[in-house]
Amino acid sequence: MQIAAPQLAAQLQRGLRSLYTLHGDEPLLVQEAADAIRAAAREQGYTERTVHTVAGAHFDWGEVLASGGSMSLFADKQLIEIRIPSGKPGKDGSQVLQQIAEAAQGNDSTLTLVLLPRLDMATQKGAWFAALESFGATVKLDPVDRKALPQWISQRLQLQGQHVAAGEEGQRTLQFFADRVEGNLLAAHQEIQKLALLHPAGALSFEQVEAAVLNVARYDAFKLAEAVLGGQVQRVQRMLDGLQAEGEAPVLVHWALSEDIRTLHRIRTAMDAGRPLPMALRENRVWGVKEKLMERALPLLSIATLSRWLDDAHTVDGIVKGLKVPSWPADPWQALQQMAMKVSLACSVR
């Protein structure tokens, strides 16, 4: 059974299941969901806890099975945690997880909690994950999207009795806060807690938030590429500055940007040949956030424009590898900025 992350608390109140699986790459959300399950388990008398971290190809899965059948003299219920940081249990682990899932049915003495990173669709279709989902409850914990971040911050502030001003001023405050903590949800949580220590319950002004919240934003090249396709010009500049300050490799940033340009060019070529846009997107394996962004951008872009961008990408590829090109900045980051801004500005036209 799949449970949406926001519904986990309500589900735990209705009744504790004997098997839970959490998967996602956002440490804060995984930690909070696991803590909620542990707290509910303690209230139900699961006083003994055993943790197994699967590391290496020679991990002894026999210990995991054995722990499910043994308890101390002082506890009649136990919580077993299985942490698989790689997301790949291997052949033996796959079989053991299926056994554990099947044994969870009607087992009111052992609660099993499986912790996994973000899983691709192929892994989620595997027999072991299907068993966990069939016999237990699985919760997918996705990162908070940038567009949803101001609302997430607002909800967290409300939980500690604080809020921003109504109207435009409050939105400005939340947008500023989100810019400072984007890509670093754990630090965002800490900055929100800091405001509770610095200021009493009630309204927070922009000046109070500006003075208190540190710039702890973290960016990655693939989120930058999404911002470029979204035509978010100011955010693109901020992310480029952040990536450079964090020491990201220019070659990775270039790869993320140029890969999207190549994909746009292939899809535009297919469209000009009479291919429907949805079909061209599927054939080029574009889905999710990128699908929506490209659906909006492609009608604005001609094949001639995309061909020029491909030439630019080829030029910047040489620059990030140390070549000097007339009429282009010698600095890789300035060249990347010129390339990214050209695309972003074109995609920002409504």
Side-chain angles (χ1 to χ4, degrees):
M1 179 181 72
Q2 296 181 19
I3 299 175
Q7 303 304 317
L8 177 60
Q11 191 280 323
L12 291 172
Q13 290 179 350
R14 289 195 299 270
L16 198 62
R17 298 180 68 91
S18 56
L19 173 63
Y20 288 90
T21 302
L22 307 180
H23 58 111
D25 277 343
E26 184 50 66
L28 174 68
L29 300 183
V30 173
Q31 175 184 315
E32 290 181 339
D35 284 346
I37 294 170
R38 294 180 191 117
R42 284 194 297 271
E43 290 178 1
Q44 295 296 317
Y46 291 84
T47 55
E48 184 172 314
R49 177 181 170 216
T50 306
V51 178
H52 301 276
T53 301
V54 179
H58 303 292
F59 177 78
D60 186 1
W61 282 95
E63 291 185 5
V64 180
L65 284 175
S67 65
S70 63
M71 262 182 284
S72 73
L73 297 174
F74 305 101
D76 58 356
K77 292 184 177 183
Q78 64 174 336
L79 168 64
I80 298 176
E81 288 187 25
I82 305 172
R83 301 176 180 178
I84 312 176
S86 68
K88 299 182 184 300
K91 182 179 179 180
D92 291 342
S94 176
Q95 294 174 351
V96 170
L97 289 173
Q98 291 178 67
Q99 287 181 248
I100 289 172
E102 293 170 6
Q105 288 287 89
N107 188 343
D108 58 0
S109 62
T110 300
L111 187 155
T112 303
L113 173 59
V114 182
L115 301 175
L116 295 158
R118 181 179 63 85
L119 303 175
D120 57 30
M121 290 305 298
T123 303
Q124 291 181 49
K125 292 177 181 177
W128 63 272
F129 188 83
L132 294 175
E133 196 166 61
S134 176
F135 294 104
T138 61
V139 185
K140 183 181 180 184
L141 297 154
D142 291 321
V144 178
D145 185 74
R146 174 59 181 81
K147 290 182 180 179
L149 190 53
Q151 181 62 25
W152 184 87
I153 293 168
S154 177
Q155 291 172 348
R156 293 286 170 134
L157 288 172
Q158 290 174 14
L159 291 175
Q160 58 192 37
Q162 294 178 314
H163 60 87
V164 298
E168 187 175 336
E169 180 187 347
Q171 290 304 309
R172 174 172 168 251
T173 302
L174 291 174
Q175 289 293 343
F176 171 83
F177 201 143
D179 287 344
R180 286 290 185 97
V181 300
E182 179 182 356
N184 197 348
L185 211 59
L186 185 58
H189 174 65
Q190 293 169 342
E191 294 299 311
I192 291 168
Q193 290 181 315
K194 185 202 298 182
L195 286 169
L197 298 174
L198 293 175
H199 303 289
L204 293 167
S205 68
F206 175 83
E207 290 74 22
Q208 288 172 322
V209 172
E210 183 181 34
V213 177
L214 297 175
N215 187 354
V216 292
R218 295 291 181 269
Y219 306 112
D220 69 65
F222 303 101
K223 289 295 183 183
L224 168 66
E226 290 178 7
V228 168
L229 286 176
Q232 300 170 316
V233 178
Q234 292 182 343
R235 185 179 175 217
V236 168
Q237 182 62 67
R238 187 169 62 250
M239 295 179 81
L240 281 167
D241 291 341
L243 287 165
Q244 183 178 7
E246 291 168 19
E248 183 61 270
V251 68
L252 177 60
V253 176
H254 174 267
W255 184 88
L257 296 175
S258 59
E259 185 66 16
D260 281 350
I261 292 172
R262 284 191 288 269
T263 301
L264 287 168
H265 189 274
R266 288 196 301 270
I267 295 173
R268 181 76 258 182
T269 301
M271 291 171 62
D272 290 350
R275 212 72 165 165
L277 176 56
M279 185 179 295
L281 287 165
R282 284 197 303 272
E283 289 173 348
N284 284 274
R285 303 177 63 83
V286 177
W287 46 70
V289 174
K290 285 284 179 71
E291 180 180 13
K292 295 182 176 65
L293 292 170
M294 289 190 178
E295 279 181 343
R296 189 190 63 82
L298 278 161
L300 306 172
L301 306 173
S302 68
I303 193 67
T305 296
L306 291 165
S307 295
R308 288 195 297 272
W309 289 355
L310 276 178
D311 291 339
D312 289 346
H314 179 72
T315 300
V316 177
D317 179 58
I319 293 172
V320 299
K321 294 175 180 176
L323 298 179
K324 305 298 181 184
V325 180
S327 78
W328 276 83
D331 178 80
W333 285 101
Q334 291 180 15
L336 285 168
Q337 177 181 321
Q338 185 170 318
M339 172 182 165
M341 285 301 176
K342 188 180 294 186
V343 178
S344 187
L345 285 167
C347 292
S348 69
V349 178
R350 296 293 186 267

